[in-house]
Amino acid sequence: MMGEKMKKTTNIFFDIMMYSIIFLLVFPLLNLVIWSFAKNWPWPYLLPQELGLRGILHLLGPSSRALKNLLFSIYLSMVVTIITLLLSIPAAKALGVYKFRGKEFFKILILAPIIVPPVAVALGIHLTFIRLGLANTFWGVVLVHLIPCLPYGIRILTNVFEIIGESMEMQARVLGATPWQTFTYVTLPLIAPGLVSAGSLVFIVSFSQYFLTFLIGGGRVITFAMMMFPYIQSGDRMMASVYSLVFVAATLVVLILMEKVIKSYYGAKNYFYL
Amino acid sequence: MSEILLSGISKDFNNKKVLKGINLSVQEGQMISLLGPSGCGKTTTLKVIAGLIEPDGGDILMKGQSILSTPIEKRGTVIVFQDYLLFPHLTIRQNIGFGLKMAKADKNYREDKVQEMLDLMELKGQEEKYPNQLSGGQKQRVALARALAVEPKVLLLDEPFSNLDLRLRETMREFICSLQKKLNITTILVTHDKEEALMISDKIAVMLEGEIKQFGSPVDLYENPVSEEVANFFGEANYLTGTIEKGYFNSSIGKFQTHINHHSSVRAMIRPEKIEISSQMYKTGIKGTVIKKRYAGDRVHYRILLKDIELKCIAATKEIFHIGQEVSLNINGNNIVFYEG
Amino acid sequence: MSEILLSGISKDFNNKKVLKGINLSVQEGQMISLLGPSGCGKTTTLKVIAGLIEPDGGDILMKGQSILSTPIEKRGTVIVFQDYLLFPHLTIRQNIGFGLKMAKADKNYREDKVQEMLDLMELKGQEEKYPNQLSGGQKQRVALARALAVEPKVLLLDEPFSNLDLRLRETMREFICSLQKKLNITTILVTHDKEEALMISDKIAVMLEGEIKQFGSPVDLYENPVSEEVANFFGEANYLTGTIEKGYFNSSIGKFQTHINHHSSVRAMIRPEKIEISSQMYKTGIKGTVIKKRYAGDRVHYRILLKDIELKCIAATKEIFHIGQEVSLNINGNNIVFYEG
Amino acid sequence: MKKKLNHKLKPYLMLMPAMIIILGIFVAGLTLGLLQSLGYFPAVGLREITLKYYKEVIMDEGFLSSLKFSLWIAFMSSLLSVVIGVLLAYSIVVSKYKKGLEEIVYKLPIIVPHAVAALLIYTLLSQSGILPRFLYSVGIIQEQFQFPALLFDRNGIGIIFAYVWKGTPFIAMVVYTVLSNINEKLQDVAMNLGANKRQVFLHVLLPLIMPSVLSSFIIIFAFSFGAFEVPYLLGPTNPRALPVKAFIEYTHPDWTNRPYTMTINMILTALSLLFIWIYHKTVKYISKYDG
Amino acid sequence: QSNPVAGEDVLESSWEAILEEIKGTEVSFYGWGGSQMTNDWIDQYLAVQLKEKYDITLNRVPMNIDEILNKLLGEKQLNTSGTIDVVWINGENFYTAKTNELLYGPFVEKLPNFEKYVDTESIEVKYDFGFPVEGYEAPYGKAQLVMIYDKARVEFVPRNHEELMELIKNNPAQFTYPAPPDFTGSAFVRNIIYDIVGYEQFVTMEADKEIISNAIQPAMDYLVELKPYLWRGGETYPATIAQLDNMFADQEVFMSVSYHPNSAGGKILTGEFPSTTNTFVFDKGTIGNTHFLAIPFNAPNKAGALAVIDFILSVEAQASKYDPKNWGDLPVLDNSKLNNEERKTFDAIDLAPGALPQDILLNHRVPEMPANFVPIIEEIWEENVLGR
Ligand SMILES: Nc1ncnc2c1ncn2[C@@H]1O[C@H](COP(=O)(O)OP(=O)(O)OP(=O)(O)O)[C@@H](O)[C@H]1O
Ligand SMILES: Nc1ncnc2c1ncn2[C@@H]1O[C@H](COP(=O)(O)OP(=O)(O)OP(=O)(O)O)[C@@H](O)[C@H]1O
Ligand SMILES: NCCCCNCCCN
Ligand SMILES: [Mg+2]
Ligand SMILES: [Mg+2]
């Protein structure tokens, strides 16, 4: 939000900049749409010479099970997102609000799953999950997805908690709210915009996992990403594009819904934390 | 048994002592004012009582029981914060009803109560606004309303009227006093308005640099401040040095009768409004010249130059003196407070 | 030419008129106070002058030039905000130096200036703290210091002393007055402290519900409020109804001589402190009984019951009356203000 | 005093659930990876703890150029993403037009997996991509090879493009969340004190969003320093980015080769930690002397 | 089934009993899932047939072989039951799996169709990349390296490496090959080696870097000489065959390589490649290999796996698979073991556009090198060709 005055006098420079950047970000995706239907597109043509429906027919065909897996993947990633957020909120609050020994250490440790390439930990994680009896199970996959998701959830919410601090929660407690009531009536609404960002990102990270899903799902849990990646690797641009397009569109729908739900529940406003 | 007893509460911030062993005992249903210069630790004291800040030392008893380990929301103490802390995501109505909602109060009761508060706080028409759409005084009233709505056992008010105009301040003050008496709410009020404190408190505590320097009745505090510091804090004052001999205080400006008998050299404090000014030259009067004058509506502040000393005086507007005018001052020895020189 | 001229400024929020055509003219170097009840539009007016809110109608001239399209940062008007709005990411030192840094002032000058402000505002020892580590009054002083450091042409103060104790308030007030005179800063001060306004302003504007109702000298405003509303706002008042005939005001409690001659039925306003109370029963006095009494340190507030009417009176503490005591009241007809009945 | 202890423990308790997962599972996995890098991998018959893999990897002549290459890619792409992302977030916030679509569409690249991003960059910027086709169609180039070789080149331009494309909206989203929650009144105050728009941005907004910017910089830096997909698909055969080297070793069918993968990964991890640490220190140092 | 090795006794049961036992069960088929045609063949033909014939539900899981092997390794370490029944495998990966005892078997002799149709003594069935199969995997299909070119842009078809060099020198920057260790790129390099120094010496050669290095030096020199005439001057190579195929499709290069003789035809059909695409092999032949199906040591449904693999070895399955409209994968059945009827089934299948007939391919087919030579050669390539 910007002061009324400021907005008015802002020159069009920023509008031009915004639209140029957005154009550069969105334009490549147009390519994805074209490639989804491009049967034949040799140099030097700007548009395909021949269109085809091979990709979309395969994807929609019942034998590919793509749509069924898509729904399942959305469900799986939603579960992961919710659990990640539930674990991230207290951790982020601790990192964002309190002072304690080792805070910097924890902040970096949280990043470990982003820093360390997954293959370095794959075997160890796999063995752990087999021991826990979680290998090849739905909940095993959920649990293993938490690993790459938590850093995003925690880091983003930490930023939010650093901004809002604790005073509003204290005020609620003083008015007789129990810690739980404080959480639901004050904390959640205040961090709602941050929850939308963190939730979106966590969903995306989970939804695009394939390595860990292979490893722990063992083929018993098949996600959309697992079906998509072989096509990306094999360079079949039409298949890769069709899958990616559906992947992006489905994610977008989920994210918009998620934002709508969170905001309709907690009010659609930004609050001045600062 | 006192409702609230602070014993030896201390608190450091960044190794700087902010509270240095606060002792305070408030009886049930009393209205106590806490006065002190900016930064002396008033807000911190309130926060300690409410449980928002954990003291480094000392204990807080409520009805004889230590509440140090009682969770904030179980203490039954409600603060109205100096900076309001209204919930930005809730409307005014929801803000005021928050505490009752948390207590799972009956919905009808809650709505009635909120409505009552809106009326009393003259907030009608604002109920559906969000806090950032309110004026300063309106926010302050919402904060007050939100606290009062839960009818707490102990009410901690941190300069709750500072942004209100005179009339509203009067109204709010009256309302809180009557509510406080009716529900027997123990109240601690932090205020910078000396008059307010004197007028509505059962007792007043003066805090200086993290310590309670005097705790007593309004008259006590105003008329007999235990130290110059307290006296200074409590309003403007004139100081004279001199000696007391045989029931008389001798100073450069004259000799005044007192109750005090022991012989000593002292500093004498005289409040500006205890000095009578007159244009008639009484023979007992002390002669002086008006050198400064400030109109304050219902009274006038003067500076009067005596031989070698300047005195602050405050007088009603019945007779107005002009700068340069020769006046006669009259000081009643009983109105002089003495401190060891 | 006036430094600032508001002409017909209006502003709506959510289709509710908040400013209804404000006209105000402030001369260069003047100190103007803006008084009015909470929510009447004072802050909004200051923000309009500073350019933070764009008015829906009307014009603002500075030295005769419209500044409506002048960017905020070029107006040379600095506000001290009611809610401080200190920069949370900057230390106190950095907060105070912010404006000078923006103006790319010489670094040595900046450092000296900040140090000077820290000293004047009694903020030594706080300079490396962040705003959330300060007490309410300290924050307020930082906000003041931050504004004063840039030595603005026009200073807009929104209740800048509300959280300060008496002594500090006095000091700050003195300091601002002297700075203002020295640098010839045009100042508009929003305050709820009537006495403050009366004592330090060149002129006072009283604002009610988005309109300036009276704009005049302190004496003017206190002694001759143009309407009951203004009178009410400006302090406590007693009202009597009656008629004026042949230079006399006749009311239920007596007959008072006035300058006014025309025959009319009127409402008469008498300030509580303009009523003299005495235990001696003058023959010209009006008899009454003390029914309420509130000690306020340097004076006492009384309610006196006459035959059928209750009057508020304020008296010095020289003689204290007790509840139930029969007293005699004396009212000088010249102290009565009349409004059309 | 019991309460005091609880108070001290509170942040740790709040961190615990997340930490159990990260420490319990992740670090357990990492330990095994570390052991493997030291040559202990009994499952395939390697039991001798040795530093020889580290020696070999570090002594490898390509190692240094791979490291430099990885570092360059990660640093440049993160830096560009941060700059463009912050500008984007800011310009959305100050844009006078109605928001809605703009607020959503810029996030799209975040959704796109990195491998797909690489594919898209390929179809755009390869010498037979959309851009050269466009240039050809307007007559600026006559042959494919006249279009500069942006992909598979030693400067990693294609890789950087792909990472910037992915990273910019990520930064913008995080920053936008914070930026749109900054009390606009603080900007009013700043302008009131004489700050122009640029100064408001530099001295008020930027410092306020800085914690978020810094932490998202770290995220994308660490990510692009350690991920193999994009440099694998868009990078040159020589030098290969470190993660690509690790990946190629990983796919080596002979499992007694596994320690090489693990060694490269451990070095990657250690370096990443080192850079993050240096970065933290630098930022602290800079912000301290920001008079 | 807590003991993953349970079901060992499946091999003791009669085939009838096995077929009875598997009714209504599920069989999980793991393998590379990057080809839409292959996937569709499994999903739309194989799964449907198996359901009809045996009441088996076939569950195809697209998973790369590295991941499959890593998964099995993890499971092996703790000796737990698995999820994979059939795995698509060959070459080095088979070598790894077998040496690490990740496979179940020997089982091939249990399969009626194996005995009936497959030449059990052929090198290509007994050896996989020079490594003895010993009944731990059954053949699935055959592959052979072919060179792909665009008739419209290539003036003559090279018959050997020398002509290839000439063609490339005449048309600089129009040719490249995927950098080893890409599977196809690596095979291309081996094929060049064969074309220059012959393949026979490697059958008995020791897997020693120096020895191999000496043996293949002429081939390395050849590749170095070729380098400046390659796409981007040999500065860089495509990382994957997928990229090379796309470059060919975009006409950035005029040739590609494939280990699947019918894949170019398939891509012409899908429109990815221009219709002027054609394939050729060198006169001295190109490398061929067989891809196999194996059963993991801890397969939960070993009986089902046997039935599935057996069905895949049937004439109808192999013929369906050979049909370029379905997949175009070369059959593994021994022509001489087929009856007329069965032979006709194969003959009736139309060749894919641009594809070489089966007999030409078989006549120009040389065996793969031993699996453990592959990484050594890749290393040598990297040092000698790439690093220069
Ligand atoms: N953003 C806004 N949206 C809607 N109403 C607003 C907004 N800002 C102010 N108002 C309303 O405008 C009126 C005037 O507000 P303003 O802040 O000017 O009052 P004020 O005179 O400064 O009062 P106070 O003494 O309480 O600070 C108030 O009724 C307030 O509720
Ligand atoms: N979080 C903190 N960190 C460091 N110092 C603090 C903190 N909170 C308060 N202080 C310091 O403690 C002292 C007491 O603060 P407190 O808020 O109690 O003062 P106060 O009496 O309420 O003053 P005021 O009348 O100005 O509101 C002040 O000097 C303040 O700067
Ligand atoms: N290079 C940008 C990395 C930012 C993280 N984005 C997460 C999305 C995962 N696909
Ligand atoms: Mg305070
Ligand atoms: Mg205001």
Side-chain angles (χ1 to χ4, degrees), chain B residues 13-14 16 18 36-45 82 158-159 192, chain C residues 126 129 132-138 141 163:
Chain B
F13 281 122
N14 310 334
K16 246 205 77 205
V18 166
S38 172
C40 72
K42 303 179 296 294
T43 301
T44 309
T45 306
Q82 207 168 355
D158 201 352
E159 304 183 28
H192 285 312
Chain C
Q126 315 293 338
K129 282 189 182 171
N132 67 357
Q133 298 175 314
L134 294 190
S135 78
Q138 287 165 343
R141 281 175 277 156
N163 286 308

Side-chain angles (χ1 to χ4, degrees), chain C residues 73-186:
Chain C
E73 70 271 18
K74 300 262 163 66
R75 292 197 182 188
T77 53
V78 171
I79 300 194
V80 175
F81 289 90
Q82 203 169 0
D83 39 2
Y84 324 144
L85 294 172
L86 303 181
F87 298 116
H89 61 293
L90 300 180
T91 62
I92 300 320
R93 185 190 293 287
Q94 291 168 331
N95 261 285
I96 297 177
F98 186 87
L100 290 173
K101 188 168 177 184
M102 295 304 103
K104 304 207 167 62
D106 173 70
K107 200 166 171 190
N108 288 332
Y109 173 75
R110 193 169 92 214
E111 279 170 10
D112 292 352
K113 190 81 197 174
V114 169
Q115 199 50 53
E116 183 194 329
M117 284 297 152
L118 284 165
D119 295 352
L120 280 166
M121 297 289 153
E122 304 185 14
L123 285 168
K124 259 193 257 176
Q126 315 293 338
E127 45 270 64
E128 300 311 326
K129 282 189 182 171
Y130 285 89
N132 67 357
Q133 298 175 314
L134 294 190
S135 78
Q138 287 165 343
K139 282 186 216 170
Q140 196 159 42
R141 281 175 277 156
V142 175
L144 255 173
R146 184 176 63 176
L148 294 175
V150 301
E151 299 185 352
K153 280 191 306 188
V154 176
L155 186 60
L156 307 171
L157 302 168
D158 201 351
E159 304 184 27
F161 313 125
S162 60
N163 286 308
L164 303 181
D165 58 278
L166 233 84
R167 196 192 52 76
L168 264 173
R169 187 184 297 224
E170 184 84 10
T171 317
M172 300 291 123
R173 205 191 275 155
E174 294 288 331
F175 170 63
I176 287 183
C177 283
S178 70
L179 192 77
Q180 189 246 337
K181 295 290 174 240
K182 195 177 83 190
L183 300 176
N184 209 25
I185 301 174
T186 310

Side-chain angles (χ1 to χ4, degrees), chain B residues 37-38 82 137 141 159 163-165 174 192 199 222-223 273-274 276 294-295 297-299 317-318, chain C residues 37-38 137 141 159 163-165 174 192 199 222-223 273-274 276 294-295 297-299 317-318:
Chain B
S38 172
Q82 207 168 355
R141 282 176 276 156
E159 304 183 28
N163 287 309
L164 302 183
D165 58 277
E174 293 290 330
H192 285 312
M199 279 167 65
Y222 193 75
E223 311 277 345
E273 72 280 0
K274 297 286 184 185
E276 257 175 90
R294 265 203 162 156
Y295 178 73
D298 52 358
R299 43 198 181 157
T317 50
K318 196 169 63 171
Chain C
S38 171
R141 281 175 277 156
E159 304 184 27
N163 286 308
L164 303 181
D165 58 278
E174 294 288 331
H192 285 313
M199 278 167 64
Y222 193 75
E223 311 278 342
E273 73 279 1
K274 297 285 183 188
E276 259 176 87
R294 265 203 162 157
Y295 178 74
D298 51 358
R299 42 197 183 161
T317 50
K318 197 169 67 171

Side-chain angles (χ1 to χ4, degrees), chain B residues 126 129 133-138, chain C residues 13-14 18 37-44 82 159 192:
Chain B
Q126 315 292 339
K129 282 189 182 169
Q133 299 175 313
L134 294 191
S135 79
Q138 287 165 343
Chain C
F13 281 123
N14 311 332
V18 167
S38 171
C40 72
K42 304 179 294 295
T43 300
T44 308
Q82 203 169 0
E159 304 184 27
H192 285 313

Side-chain angles (χ1 to χ4, degrees), chain D residues 77-122:
Chain D
S77 60
S78 310
L79 186 69
L80 287 172
S81 302
V82 163
V83 172
I84 305 173
V86 169
L87 285 177
L88 175 60
Y90 181 68
S91 52
I92 296 177
V93 169
V94 299
S95 164
K96 57 183 145 208
Y97 293 109
K98 262 265 161 284
K99 288 152 208 167
L101 201 58
E102 289 88 345
E103 263 185 278
I104 298 170
V105 293
Y106 82 86
K107 295 184 195 166
L108 281 170
I110 303 176
I111 304 175
V112 176
H114 280 88
V116 181
L119 186 78
L120 284 176
I121 293 298
Y122 177 83

